[in-house]
Amino acid sequence: LMEAAIRGRVHMCSQLLNTGASPLQEDMHGNTALYWAIDKEHISIVRLMAQHTPLPPRHQECPLLFLALGSVNMCSVLLQLGASIYDC
């Protein structure tokens, strides 16, 4: 799932999520498939993953972080999906 999220493969992410893959499974650095989808600004994958799990209150997915990094679109998407500026 992480590799599909990094590469922006929406269909593959959908198939993996529908068969039980977790968007919150961490790699050896503590990053999740959700984190990578956000980092790579794959908005459709972030929205897809949000249908399968709530956005976690983690600093890496903090909307303000993406606003500070210049990604107004991702900040907006995360807020629309229920992320909170208070979880940063």
Side-chain angles (χ1 to χ4, degrees):
L1 182 59
M2 258 183 242
E3 194 63 33
I6 290 169
R7 295 179 185 268
R9 308 294 166 103
V10 179
H11 183 69
M12 178 62 71
C13 286
S14 179
Q15 287 180 324
L16 291 167
L17 289 166
N18 288 333
T19 58
S22 171
L24 302 180
Q25 178 70 37
E26 295 181 355
D27 64 15
M28 65 183 180
H29 301 290
N31 297 319
T32 65
L34 176 60
Y35 166 81
W36 285 115
I38 292 169
D39 182 69
K40 300 296 183 185
E41 296 190 45
H42 297 309
I43 291 173
S44 55
I45 294 175
V46 173
R47 289 185 187 280
L48 176 66
M49 289 184 181
Q51 294 172 6
H52 290 267
T53 187
L55 293 178
R58 294 185 49 196
H59 68 280
Q60 292 174 323
E61 286 91 11
C62 174
L64 291 179
L65 173 63
F66 289 92
L67 186 58
L69 295 173
S71 181
V72 175
N73 281 344
M74 187 55 69
C75 178
S76 176
V77 167
L78 291 172
L79 290 171
Q80 289 170 12
L81 293 172
S84 171
I85 60 171
Y86 302 107
D87 290 334
C88 301

